[in-house]
Amino acid sequence: MEISLKQNLRIIALLLFLVVTTQAVYTALHVVANDVPRRWLWGLEALIFVLLAAFAGSMLVQIKNYALGFAAVFASAVLNVVQVGVGLTQFGPFFEAAKSAEAFAPAASAVVAYSFFIYNAAKVLLGLSAVVFGLVVAKQGANFLGKLTALVGLVAIVANTIAMMFGRIDAVPSGATGVLATLLLAVCVLKLEAEDKAT
């Protein structure tokens, strides 16, 4: 099956929009009802990230420009697959062990911290991609959108780097900057000129 460059751009943008949607739903569930099962949502996110990795990876052989931006999207998707996998497979057993034996509590906390570290690393990469494509779109004429996207991407890089360095401090604000950067990134991907086919 051959997918054109323009189709691939639209698919990647759609997947990025879905990432924003699922993370907004997850945050709402966390605020409203912390005890709601999230396995179905994490499973859906895993599928979205796997597909995003595939389509962003394919862009690296379809185009000669923007490689850094799509490489960052690809790497962030792979990291998010790992992060979701940790949540789906490790959280339950470690927290069950911590309930039965208090000595396991630090190990359970360490697994959660590791998951958030990966989460923030993925947000750093999406911030980098937002900076790249924001500058591209600004150069193509969408000055306000492009500069706003690049600025939000830079803020996401800084906020999530700090979260990686010092642990889960301000996890929601740092994650929110990454989600906003992802939303603006998706809009910028839709506005990219599909003229850079690899030769």
Side-chain angles (χ1 to χ4, degrees):
M1 179 177 67
E2 186 174 344
I3 299 177
S4 71
L5 181 60
K6 188 172 289 188
Q7 288 173 326
N8 207 356
L9 288 172
R10 289 173 180 170
I11 291 169
I12 290 170
L14 173 62
L15 291 170
L16 289 170
F17 281 127
L18 289 175
V19 167
V20 172
T21 302
T22 57
Q23 297 202 352
V25 170
Y26 180 85
T27 302
L29 287 175
H30 181 74
V31 172
V32 175
N34 196 35
D35 59 342
V36 175
R38 294 171 177 78
R39 179 166 289 273
W40 62 273
L41 185 59
W42 285 351
L44 177 60
E45 278 193 321
L47 173 62
I48 293 169
F49 289 130
V50 167
L51 292 175
L52 184 58
F55 285 100
S58 71
M59 287 298 290
L60 297 176
V61 296
Q62 277 189 301
I63 58 171
K64 57 186 177 183
N65 294 327
Y66 320 141
L68 176 60
F70 284 115
V73 174
F74 168 79
S76 73
V78 172
L79 284 178
N80 272 306
V81 171
V82 175
Q83 188 259 338
V84 172
V86 170
L88 282 172
T89 64
Q90 304 298 310
F91 281 9
F94 272 95
F95 279 107
E96 285 300 316
K99 285 179 184 177
S100 59
E102 196 173 317
F104 280 102
S109 296
V111 170
V112 174
Y114 173 62
S115 177
F116 270 92
F117 182 90
I118 299 172
Y119 172 84
N120 291 122
K123 289 291 182 282
V124 169
L125 287 165
L126 286 172
L128 174 61
S129 185
V131 171
V132 170
F133 289 120
L135 294 176
V136 169
V137 166
K139 190 175 180 180
Q140 290 179 350
N143 195 47
F144 177 76
L145 171 64
K147 289 184 177 179
L148 176 63
T149 302
L151 177 61
V152 172
L154 185 59
V155 171
I157 291 171
V158 173
N160 284 277
T161 298
I162 291 172
M164 288 168 62
M165 291 168 63
F166 297 103
R168 294 177 59 188
I169 60 163
D170 298 327
V172 173
S174 62
T177 62
V179 172
L180 181 56
T182 305
L183 175 62
L184 293 170
L185 170 62
V187 176
C188 287
V189 168
L190 281 177
K191 294 184 77 67
L192 283 177
E193 295 175 1
E195 297 177 357
D196 278 304
K197 293 184 180 179
T199 54

